Amino acid sequence: MVGTDLLKVEDLDVSIAGRMILRDVNFRIDHGEFTGLIGSNGAGKTTLLRVILGVQAAARGRVSVHGQTLTRSNSSVGYVPQKVVFEPDLPVRVRDFVALGLDGAKLGFARRSRQNLELVDEMLDAVEAAALANRRIGSLSGGEQQRVLIAHALVRKPELLLLDEPLASLDPGSAQEIIELLHSVVVHQQVAVLMSAHEMNPLLPVMDRVVYVANGGVASGTTDEVVRSDVLSALYGHHVDVLHVHGRVLVVAGESDHAKSMVADHPAVIVE
Amino acid sequence: MHYIFEPGFFANSTVRTALVLGLLVAIVSATIGVFTVVRGQSFAGHALTDVATAGGAGASLAVISPLIGFIGGGVLGAGAMDAIGVQRVKGRDIATGVVLGAATGLSALFLYLVTLQTSTTGSTQTILFGSVFTVSPSTLPDALWLSAVVLGALFVIRRPLMMSSISSELARTRGVRIRLIGLSFMVMLAVAVGLSAIVIGSILSTALLIGPPASALKFSNRFSTAVIFASLLGTLATWLGIILAYDSYYWSASHRGLPVSFFVVAVVVAQFAISSVFAQRRRVRVALSNERHAAPEQVGWI
Amino acid sequence: MFSSFMTNAWISGTVIATLVGVVGFFVVMRASSFAAHAIPNGAFAGAAGANLVGVNPLFGLVVFALGAALGIGYSSRRTRSDVATALALVMMLALGAAFLATSNEYEPAINALLFGEILGVSSSEIVPVLVLALVCALGLGVLYRPLLMSSISSELAVAQGVNVSLIDVAFLVVLALSSALAVPVVGALLTFSLTIGPPAAARLLTSRPHRALACSVVLSLLTLWAAIASSYWSNLPIGFFVGTFSALVYLVARAWDVTRRRRLAHVVA
């Protein structure tokens, strides 16, 4: 197994209802890497994650984990969907929910072993949600819910964790906490993270690799390799400028002079 | 022609009343039904019919006007559902279920007492299932003004209602009072299904409320077109059903006709099946022609 | 009340309430009340049809309930599930009405089917009822965890490798069987009340899934036992008591939940 990538996506085409969503996608992810899947809304990020997860079929190409073609319900891949709405009255505690991450797909009855119960507690500790263990899952705030969903996905000890826009509905403070949490997961549990986001700036400090989705294709590599005017212009099919302002990155369509004068005129717009 | 319209069809005043009331109910049901289907409140629409029926049974026990019973029962039911929590999507399911369950219990009691009081057979089934042939022509004026009130009120709140039906988030940001609009809609729905339950029975009330609008919405994403389509389909189903039920009396030697509800439902379901098939084909065609152009992420309403 | 001719009523009532308590727990979790309302009406049409052609009513109940359930399951993939359920429901009721119109069924028999009859299960039917209930229980036992997972969130269940559409259909089949068993005793219209009231109450009383399930069964048993006893003493139809007691159980649980929340809010404040 030495030398094989954790995840390898080769020559992937994906179409839904006769419409081509992604074309000729190639990238790879190594063990214990933090990868950002960046692109605007509707670029096809969710579709790509669903293909990697094995719940959406590809028209062409191959997705492999450890060099083996991925099958559905591969326990080495964990998944946190974009938004889950839990009924407030659901009689399920956070603890029960995380435990279901372990055995929710298994048939029949069984008492959970002490070992598994300890694993659940360990995961809740890891996402700093131990205090929430006995709350109903429907009663959590957005940030709390995101932590619990991550614990639910991590409890099976996957090697790759996919997250679909985990920051989308969070306030900046909670978003920062989730990013730090995921970073520590990468560092301490040696789990590779692939998370989608439409804004790359919050991820810049922790990201090892970028997979940039636009115009039905992707560009991947380290941040410096991908987030460049020439690479992104080729991807978009028209001229794109990449500006660096106060340590942040801004991707602007159009001619560079115009964009630069915009920055000069409205610095506040750029900084957020 | 005689093979379709058996002798005496148009001369029969029962049939004439049935045709007129059928038209009225088909239009009201279709109009409010389009909103009901878009809002995903079919279950509430059906449940209110059964709640109204409980009111109707209570009224016949207390010897008050059945109209008051049906409509009053429906409106009370709508209020109860709102109080328990119709706002949340899943909570709505439970709220509707609890109210429906309690109302059916009352129905059981009332109908049992009705059968003790009256010696005529079939009263339970008439109240439960209804029959457009048993409606007296004197219902017509009441049905007319109630329909006018429902349609008028619906017309007044149509814009905020449409907006909150498409996206409650969007409507809230535009200053629509979602809760108020939702409750007003439930009350209108209660009046409309109460009316159709008394005129054509509870089975057909639900059939006409959901069937024609669901068929129409397979073809049109616009509220106005869907309402017109649904009204036409509903009227067609009702009239065809009445004709066939009248004819079925002559089919067998024993002269035991089949109920109107059976035929109307058959037509409604057939309409839905046909429109599903056509809509499927159309979608495939649209998808193929869209292959080269990027289609929008989501097809919106209106 | 416990005389020999009532033995069947108590046995069948206990079996039905236990089964409905478990099935109802999942109905409420999955928000599929509408299907739970429609399927017993399908069973009603089946019983009416069975009388018409002269076959065993239990056979008609099971076949039509299954037909309604699979019809809902099949068309829900193509169209909105509430629309599919509504159309299946009216189709079944219209069929039932047509069967009744062509048969010579006398009124008390029809009312018994609609509103329940404590002696609805004859001694010759006890064994088939027990067998079918056992099949349902076995099915629910095997599916328990994926069913729970997919009820919480079907998207997460899919990601975990649960075949959610298979689980959906399997659950509808169990719902159909349990409805077919319950309809002769509780009535086509009231089976639904028992399916929703006690489970909806149970989940307000506890936040643990296993306890909520057990609580749902206990409340369902208490409701049906009380209804059988009340119907026996008052001679009023059992359906009335099932409907009223089910709603009452829910309202009491709800009131308890509201006061508990208020008290918690006080403590926090």
Side-chain angles (χ1 to χ4, degrees), chain C residues 91-126:
Chain C
M91 220 159 81
M92 286 296 164
L93 281 174
L95 266 181
F99 288 151
L100 290 183
T102 38
S103 76
N104 291 313
E105 197 64 45
Y106 66 116
E107 188 140 349
I110 299 166
N111 285 349
L113 262 184
L114 288 170
F115 299 113
E117 164 62 58
I118 45 177
L119 302 173
V121 175
S122 66
S123 50
S124 67
E125 283 169 336
I126 280 280

Side-chain angles (χ1 to χ4, degrees), chain B residues 21 35 46 54 56-57 61-62 73 92 106 108 122 148 173 180 254 261 278 289:
Chain B
L21 281 169
F35 290 96
H46 166 74
L61 200 63
R92 185 155 102 176
L106 282 180
T173 59
L180 185 69
S254 62
S261 54
F278 273 102
S289 68

